[in-house]
Amino acid sequence: MIIKRSIKMPLEKSFSEKGEVTLLFGPRQAGKTTVLREIIAEIGSGKAEYFSGDDVFVQEAFGKNNLEALRRAVSGKDIIVIDEAQRIANIGLSAKLIVDELPVKVVLSGSSSFELSNKVSEPLTGRTKTFHMHPLSWAEVAEKYKKTLPADALEELLRFGMYPKVQTLESDERKETYLSEYLGNYLSKDILMFGQVRKPKKVFDLLTLLALQVGSEVSIAELSRNLALSQQTVERYLDILEKMFIIIQVRGFSRNLRKEISKTSKYYFSDVGVRNAVIRNFNPMRLRGDVGALFENWFIVERMKRADNALQPKNYYFWRTYDQQEIDLIEEQGGVLTGYECKYSSRKGSAPPRAFTEAYPDSKFVPISGVDAFRLLEEIEESL
């Protein structure tokens, strides 16, 4: 089954916008290369060409800031796409030279915003348009599950996540193997490439602690004690994992009340299948004690995917008071607040906390349950 990616159309449109560099960020195996190759095929290889930053010859061709060498490398092309561009030294300066001196559109993609952003931020200030590609969203896979009971579809997505490759595998065993290998091979390799990571095993220990605390506020001091690392090192590792698109940080929201908590954070996984691989637990929902946290992670990331795919950036927070009133997710867009409370098994307690409605009377509140998650996602889409 061919899955149409939501980001493809706006990304393709950017290929015709000269004078700026298009940046495409996203985790490994999320489908960046597939979409880029599809766009190039539709444009025609005579006008566009794909390069892989993993190729040493490509690294050599684009790693030197020599205009004539760059001219030869892009000769006869209107558009060049360099995938995994973070592998190329000085790629920001080379891209700037091409854009400034040659009539060629440059598209760069990377699976590490940490590396690629550092290389392009200064030379290309004000000259970039950035896209973020996630693993598949519900809107992109809904057609595949149209003949599946919603409860069964949600069960599968919560167990194995939404990476494109997972969606092509038939057996549970093959899905588990893929996700375990993804964690062990791709992520291990990428983590080792960061010079600041002196103890890779500690990074995986950190991931395990975060996986066990999904939906809960995270204490840096506690992580530091458990890992026998300094708080500064823990914070640096968290930043790297975020920029590798493995985890997502959500901060506390506060504007009006002294009793609102705003200085702590929660961490979610960009894909729940990877989270389950970290703790080696792919059990069905009926055998798990973490279903609520798993569902909360999945739904919150779905909202983020929707916003990025629609090019409608939003701010995301959780809300809690010291007397334990809380809302799982607060979306802020254009000054409008929408709160979402996730309950996998029921909609009990679906009224918004009184302190929240009193402090933010113009806000909206939407209770989400596993039973009607897909329907509510579609209703939210239609209301926007």
Side-chain angles (χ1 to χ4, degrees):
M1 176 182 175
I2 297 176
I3 297 175
K4 184 178 179 180
R5 302 307 300 264
S6 302
I7 203 170
K8 181 182 176 183
M9 188 176 294
L11 180 62
E12 186 173 14
K13 182 180 178 182
S14 78
F15 278 44
S16 63
E17 297 169 352
K18 304 290 185 179
E20 65 180 15
V21 174
T22 293
L23 300 177
L24 176 61
F25 290 118
R28 281 184 175 272
Q29 301 282 296
K32 300 186 302 298
T33 300
T34 299
V35 167
L36 290 171
R37 287 188 178 277
E38 285 178 358
I39 295 174
I40 289 173
E42 292 167 6
I43 293 172
S45 58
K47 293 184 177 181
E49 186 166 355
Y50 172 92
F51 299 92
S52 172
D54 289 325
D55 188 325
V56 293
F57 295 103
V58 172
Q59 293 172 10
E60 177 71 16
F62 291 96
K64 296 178 180 178
N65 308 131
N66 181 295
L67 183 58
E68 288 308 311
L70 293 171
R71 191 189 305 274
R72 289 192 296 272
V74 304
S75 177
K77 303 299 178 183
D78 295 332
I79 302 167
I80 63 163
V81 174
I82 304 178
D83 203 0
E84 298 299 340
Q86 74 272 6
R87 303 275 189 259
I88 302 173
N90 304 311
I91 186 60
L93 291 171
S94 294
K96 182 178 185 299
L97 268 176
I98 295 171
V99 170
D100 287 348
E101 305 295 336
L102 305 172
V104 177
K105 170 70 179 186
V106 178
V107 180
L108 306 177
S109 84
S111 54
S112 167
S113 67
F114 185 91
E115 291 182 286
L116 187 53
S117 290
N118 286 348
K119 291 180 177 179
V120 303
S121 59
E122 185 175 342
L124 292 173
T125 301
R127 306 283 297 279
T128 60
K129 185 169 188 177
T130 303
F131 296 83
H132 292 89
M133 190 166 196
H134 298 268
L136 295 166
S137 67
W138 168 247
E140 292 168 325
V141 301
E143 181 68 16
K144 175 186 174 182
Y145 292 98
K146 65 180 182 181
K147 295 182 179 179
T148 305
L149 291 174
D152 293 338
L154 183 59
E155 169 109 1
E156 182 175 322
L157 297 178
L158 292 182
R159 290 177 67 192
F160 303 112
M162 304 178 74
Y163 268 89
K165 180 67 175 179
V166 167
Q167 293 295 312
T168 70
L169 301 174
E170 295 297 328
S171 72
D172 292 355
E173 182 180 0
R174 291 187 66 192
K175 293 174 184 178
E176 290 181 25
T177 299
Y178 167 77
L179 289 165
S180 297
E181 290 181 349
Y182 177 91
L183 187 68
N185 295 335
Y186 290 110
L187 297 190
S188 293
K189 178 182 176 182
D190 287 347
I191 287 170
L192 284 170
M193 294 187 70
F194 285 97
Q196 301 100 321
V197 178
R198 297 179 180 178
K199 299 179 179 179
K201 183 181 181 302
K202 292 287 188 179
V203 178
F204 281 91
D205 290 342
L206 173 59
L207 275 176
T208 301
L209 291 176
L210 294 176
L212 295 172
Q213 296 183 57
V214 163
S216 300
E217 292 163 59
V218 170
S219 164
I220 301 297
E222 182 180 339
L223 293 175
S224 173
R225 288 192 298 272
N226 289 333
L227 295 168
L229 295 172
S230 69
Q231 292 191 36
Q232 184 180 15
T233 299
V234 170
E235 289 172 347
R236 186 168 71 249
Y237 286 0
L238 288 169
D239 185 54
I240 289 172
L241 290 170
E242 273 194 271
K243 289 174 177 174
M244 288 175 62
F245 309 105
I246 303 171
I247 60 174
I248 298 169
Q249 181 185 32
V250 177
R251 298 181 184 276
F253 179 83
S254 178
R255 280 188 184 163
N256 296 326
L257 303 178
R258 283 187 177 182
K259 61 183 180 180
E260 289 175 325
I261 292 173
S262 61
K263 294 183 179 181
T264 58
S265 296
K266 294 183 179 182
Y267 286 90
Y268 296 96
F269 281 71
S270 61
D271 183 77
V272 291
V274 172
R275 182 264 181 184
N276 290 336
V278 169
I279 59 173
R280 299 178 178 84
N281 184 356
F282 295 98
N283 287 337
M285 297 303 107
R286 69 180 186 279
L287 301 178
R288 305 180 69 125
D290 60 353
V291 179
L294 201 57
F295 176 63
E296 180 181 325
N297 191 144
W298 177 82
F299 177 80
I300 287 173
V301 174
E302 276 301 301
R303 296 301 304 149
M304 295 177 178
K305 290 176 185 177
R306 191 271 167 197
D308 282 344
N309 288 342
L311 305 184
Q312 295 181 351
K314 299 179 181 181
N315 296 318
Y316 300 95
Y317 310 92
F318 70 91
W319 180 85
R320 187 167 77 81
T321 63
Y322 287 103
D323 58 359
Q324 303 302 311
Q325 296 186 64
E326 61 184 327
I327 297 176
D328 294 327
L329 177 67
I330 302 292
E331 281 185 356
E332 180 185 32
Q333 184 180 36
V336 177
L337 302 179
T338 303
Y340 298 94
E341 182 64 21
C342 302
K343 301 288 185 184
Y344 176 78
S345 59
S346 73
R347 300 181 71 173
K348 184 179 179 181
S350 60
R354 182 175 178 180
F356 183 78
T357 56
E358 290 178 350
Y360 310 105
D362 296 327
S363 63
K364 303 174 183 177
F365 180 80
V366 182
I368 302 292
S369 71
V371 175
D372 54 12
F374 298 143
R375 178 181 61 80
L376 288 170
L377 278 171
E378 290 165 2
E379 287 180 1
I380 293 167
E381 292 282 320
E382 293 172 0
S383 68
L384 295 172

